[in-house]
Amino acid sequence: MTAVESTPLSHSKRSSQQSFLSASERVGIAGRMFLWAGSKGAQGSGGERSRTFYQKIREYDILEKRRTVTALKAGEDRAILLGLSMILFSAMMYFVLGITMVRSYSDSVWTEESNCTVLNSSIVAEINCSYSCGSECRKSSRFPCLQVYVSLNFTGKVLRLSYNEESHEAHPECFYIPKCRKDHTLMHSIVMNISERLKTHQQVLCYYDPLEQQDSVLLTRLYGRGAIISSLLWPTCTLVGGTLIIAMVKLTQYLSFLCEQISRIKRMGLYSLTGASHTKVCTRKFNGGIQDGV
């Protein structure tokens, strides 16, 4: 009886121990699953927050970059338009000066300078002229023709003196052509004053033809070398300024493009490093959670 009774007791003890072990195992497995799920949830929420944070930063950078590019684009367009306008204006000035001053200077044959001695200065005739008295009114008058002869010190020849190219083309025999007026006495006094000044200054600077094809010399040139240089200075400065503006804008655009390429390369490298470090951190957290659950 004792042996028979002890057998059921031992069986009941073993079954209770097995049930206790199975319950503890279930509790441990459930705990590990809870820890793993918790670590996974924390990992997922942290990854989403980091991605949202980086996405917001990137969107802000893109918006600021678009605003900056739009502002710079408008300023660059205005600068290029200013440079092109300056170049076009200088080209028009070159054209106008080329058909007026430069052409007259290049066509002139009186190119050499020398000293001349005044030999004779006298009024030889009266020249008819006309002046305006209204919109459709013209009246005639007369002015005295002052004839001046000089001796060219360089060659010793006696030549007739003219004031400039216009006076020589209008009346080669007269030194100076005053503006035609109604008052003949006023024009006569002007011409006599010029004659007295020439007699007072015996030596004058004159321009002659080095090829000796002209029988006259000039007291002054209509457009001298200094006048040509000073008149061409301003369109040249305008042309150089417009070209420099366009060149600086293009250089700025090129440097901006290079900076954008460099920043893009750095940004891609930073994102790759950040993603790798974030993956390592998540892996470590996940492994740590598993080890804690086990």
Side-chain angles (χ1 to χ4, degrees):
M1 290 292 291
T2 307
V4 175
E5 292 176 355
S6 62
T7 302
L9 290 173
S10 62
H11 282 293
S12 62
K13 186 182 290 187
R14 290 194 191 98
S15 62
S16 64
Q17 290 178 355
Q18 289 178 358
S19 63
F20 177 76
L21 290 174
S22 61
S24 63
E25 288 177 356
R26 285 196 299 270
V27 171
I29 292 171
R32 288 195 297 270
M33 292 179 65
F34 175 76
L35 291 174
W36 182 68
S39 63
K40 186 176 180 180
Q43 176 186 354
S45 61
E48 291 178 357
R49 284 197 298 269
S50 63
R51 282 195 297 271
T52 305
F53 179 71
Y54 285 120
Q55 186 177 2
K56 288 183 178 179
I57 292 177
R58 184 173 179 82
E59 291 176 356
Y60 179 76
D61 291 340
I62 292 173
L63 182 60
E64 289 295 326
K65 189 180 296 182
R66 286 179 181 175
R67 292 176 180 174
T68 305
V69 168
T70 303
L72 291 176
K73 184 66 176 176
E76 290 171 356
D77 292 340
R78 294 190 187 96
I80 291 176
L81 182 61
L82 176 61
L84 292 176
S85 302
M86 293 174 66
I87 292 175
L88 180 61
F89 179 71
S90 63
M92 293 176 61
M93 290 181 66
Y94 276 128
F95 176 75
V96 173
L97 293 174
I99 63 176
T100 55
M101 298 180 65
V102 178
R103 184 178 179 179
S104 177
Y105 177 79
S106 60
D107 292 343
S108 179
V109 296
W110 296 276
T111 57
E112 298 295 332
E113 295 182 5
S114 180
N115 290 324
C116 295
T117 303
V118 179
L119 300 177
N120 185 18
S121 175
S122 60
I123 296 174
V124 294
E126 295 285 335
I127 306 297
N128 294 324
C129 64
S130 62
Y131 63 93
S132 176
C133 57
S135 59
E136 296 181 357
C137 176
R138 302 288 298 181
K139 290 186 178 181
S140 61
S141 182
R142 298 171 67 86
F143 69 91
C145 176
L146 177 64
Q147 195 172 73
V148 180
Y149 284 94
V150 296
S151 174
L152 185 62
N153 295 345
F154 181 73
T155 59
K157 290 184 178 181
V158 177
L159 302 172
R160 188 171 56 250
L161 181 66
S162 297
Y163 182 70
N164 54 22
E165 290 91 348
E166 289 183 348
S167 299
H168 184 268
E169 291 177 1
H171 296 282
E173 67 277 4
C174 300
F175 168 72
Y176 179 74
I177 301 175
K179 183 179 179 180
C180 190
R181 293 180 175 87
K182 180 180 179 181
D183 191 355
H184 177 268
T185 305
L186 178 61
M187 290 189 292
H188 189 275
S189 62
I190 291 173
V191 173
M192 290 302 298
N193 188 18
I194 293 173
S195 177
E196 292 296 329
R197 288 186 178 181
L198 289 174
K199 290 178 181 179
T200 304
H201 300 84
Q202 292 292 325
Q203 295 290 332
V204 294
L205 184 65
C206 58
Y207 296 88
Y208 68 95
D209 180 13
L211 300 178
E212 298 182 355
Q213 296 178 357
Q214 299 291 332
D215 58 350
S216 62
V217 293
L218 301 181
L219 181 64
T220 180
R221 298 186 66 179
L222 188 62
Y223 300 112
R225 187 176 302 174
I228 295 296
I229 293 175
S230 61
S231 62
L232 293 177
L233 178 63
W234 295 110
T236 303
C237 293
T238 307
L239 177 62
V240 173
T243 306
L244 286 176
I245 289 174
I246 295 176
M248 290 175 66
V249 170
K250 292 300 180 182
L251 179 62
T252 304
Q253 291 177 349
Y254 178 70
L255 293 177
S256 177
F257 176 75
L258 288 181
C259 292
E260 178 64 23
Q261 293 294 326
I262 294 172
S263 61
R264 184 178 299 175
I265 293 172
K266 289 183 178 180
R267 196 182 305 116
M268 291 176 64
L270 181 62
Y271 285 163
S272 61
L273 291 175
T274 305
S277 62
H278 182 69
T279 304
K280 291 180 180 179
V281 170
C282 293
T283 304
R284 289 176 182 173
K285 288 182 178 181
F286 178 72
N287 295 331
I290 293 176
Q291 290 176 3
D292 293 339
V294 173

